[in-house]
Amino acid sequence: MVLNDKEKERYTRQMIINNWGESTQEKLKDATIAIIGIGGLGSVNSFYASAVGIGHIKLVDHDVVDLSNLNRQIIHFTPDITKKKVKSAAEKLSSLNPEIEVEPFAVELTEENIQDIIKDCDVVLDCLDNFHTRFLLNKTCIDLEIPYVHAACYAFEGRVLTILPKKGPCLQCFYPKIPKEMETIPVVGSAVGIIASIEITEAIKCITGIGKPLVGRLLIVDGEAMTFDIINVKRHPDCPVCSKYFPKKTSRFKKSKLKPGP
Amino acid sequence: MLEISVKFFASLAEKIGERETTILMEEGSNFQDLLEKLQQRYGERFAQIMLQSDGNIKEIYKILLNEKNIYDQNIFNIKLNNKDIIAFLPPIGGGC
């Protein structure tokens, strides 16, 4: 879709980035993303998704805003307490950028509703607080071939991995089994902000095709030591989710017919 | 002598009580030797934190050698080199 004059002005500073221009901005305008979880990660992701001009933003969260959320969930304000998180976020996002469409889903993501919610998305953002739903999201994104970005936080730490289905490793290649869930995870808001800013940058890259996403490269941020490490994550040959989409590797070195020398 | 850096992340760093340490080891040492040195440093609780009942390292912990995920089944025999960095990562799941 063509940009209107207001949009051209609104997005000027990013459109002057090399290789961006109107065509890239139009790609963003035509794109649909789903942000799963409107907590700390979802707050920052949805803010920048709106600001950068992603045309259709789906917000998924069944929870309501609580006072103890406000140290990190920066899209919710004190008067929003007891409001549905998706409603609170949708209000801010539409106010920040009236050019975009925001679609709130005040539901918990389940096997029954996940396909309907994400099937038309170009990218999905994992801003979840539990592995159970993450595994469901991972499997569904792989099966529907929807790129998604995984992110998670703990205290001053965080990790980000971009998953391009059938191209790179998936979340279960790295975590084969569902890890034990923690009840209350300690966290500082500014560290969540770092991780979420990286996550939405990955989503922008996936939509625009600019740059090299974190595919098969898990970024580990340690905000205490302020180190950024990247580790290579390989596809797991027995991954219960994605291995079926890759041809089985047969060894190039068949058993030698040569007899060992004397 | 080998100088091995060991890093613990997230909840594991809290359980162990520090995020990073350097262990000096003899040439030719392997991963098993490193675990024993770490046990000496942190005491009995190190094994309780790290190992399953069958003596293997708990599956939930990812072990990285020089920023590469170790997939080797026979991890205990991996030979260490001077300045190697070993990192232990628990899963983290906060959407916060």
Side-chain angles (χ1 to χ4, degrees), chain A:
Chain A
M1 264 205 301
V2 185
L3 303 172
N4 63 38
D5 289 342
K6 275 189 184 161
E7 286 173 306
K8 284 180 193 167
E9 188 178 340
R10 176 183 287 269
Y11 306 124
T12 308
R13 289 289 284 271
Q14 62 203 42
M15 283 168 62
I16 58 174
I17 292 175
N18 243 351
N19 301 323
W20 194 298
E22 279 186 36
S23 63
T24 295
Q25 194 59 50
E26 284 165 7
K27 277 187 200 166
L28 289 165
K29 184 174 177 168
D30 292 337
T32 300
I33 65 163
I35 300 172
I36 315 295
I38 310 300
L41 291 169
S43 287
V44 175
N45 272 295
S46 59
F47 238 123
Y48 280 123
S50 167
V52 80
I54 294 175
H56 308 268
I57 302 173
K58 298 184 180 191
L59 306 174
V60 186
D61 200 312
H62 71 287
D63 216 351
V64 294
V65 180
D66 182 84
L67 178 60
S68 66
N69 299 151
L70 302 184
N71 77 319
R72 63 200 186 281
Q73 302 187 6
I74 59 171
I75 205 152
H76 311 302
F77 304 158
T78 304
D80 297 321
I81 290 169
T82 71
K83 222 185 256 181
K84 285 279 182 193
K85 286 186 177 176
V86 289
K87 186 171 182 288
S88 156
E91 287 168 4
K92 318 299 190 319
L93 301 181
S94 301
S95 165
L96 170 63
N97 189 351
E99 309 288 348
I100 58 157
E101 279 174 31
V102 181
E103 203 180 342
F105 293 83
V107 297
E108 198 165 358
L109 203 65
T110 62
E111 269 179 55
E112 285 69 44
N113 63 22
I114 186 168
Q115 296 225 2
D116 275 344
I117 294 172
I118 70 167
K119 67 184 175 203
D120 60 344
C121 288
D122 297 284
V123 181
V124 175
L125 297 177
D126 160 11
C127 303
L128 286 154
D129 61 359
N130 70 86
F131 273 102
H132 186 81
T133 318
R134 275 198 175 94
F135 273 40
L136 170 66
L137 180 65
N138 180 63
K139 185 185 180 313
T140 313
C141 284
I142 300 292
D143 288 343
L144 299 180
E145 284 191 63
I146 301 170
Y148 88 99
V149 190
H150 159 71
C153 299
Y154 184 96
F156 279 84
E157 284 180 42
R159 297 177 198 165
V160 186
L161 179 70
T162 299
I163 289 129
L164 292 187
K166 303 180 190 176
K167 295 206 172 89
C170 78
L171 190 65
Q172 260 188 271
C173 292
F174 190 63
Y175 297 119
K177 288 184 189 158
I178 293 192
K180 210 172 117 201
E181 308 283 2
M182 273 180 87
E183 263 309 297
T184 304
I185 295 162
V187 68
V188 59
S190 57
V192 181
I194 299 174
I195 302 305
S197 297
I198 294 167
E199 187 176 17
I200 185 65
T201 305
E202 287 294 292
I204 294 167
K205 286 158 60 184
C206 286
I207 294 167
T208 60
I210 292 174
K212 182 183 167 194
L214 286 167
V215 177
R217 300 184 297 144
L218 177 76
L219 176 70
I220 302 175
V221 178
D222 178 351
E224 275 190 46
M226 205 45 91
T227 55
F228 289 67
D229 293 319
I230 285 185
I231 64 160
N232 293 316
V233 177
K234 293 186 206 159
R235 278 194 289 111
H236 198 297
D238 300 320
C239 174
V241 174
C242 76
S243 62
K244 64 182 174 207
Y245 295 114
F246 292 100
K248 279 271 175 247
K249 236 187 187 171
T250 47
S251 173
R252 282 167 54 210
F253 301 99
K254 297 239 168 71
K255 204 172 174 184
S256 176
K257 284 177 185 158
L258 295 174
K259 293 227 161 75

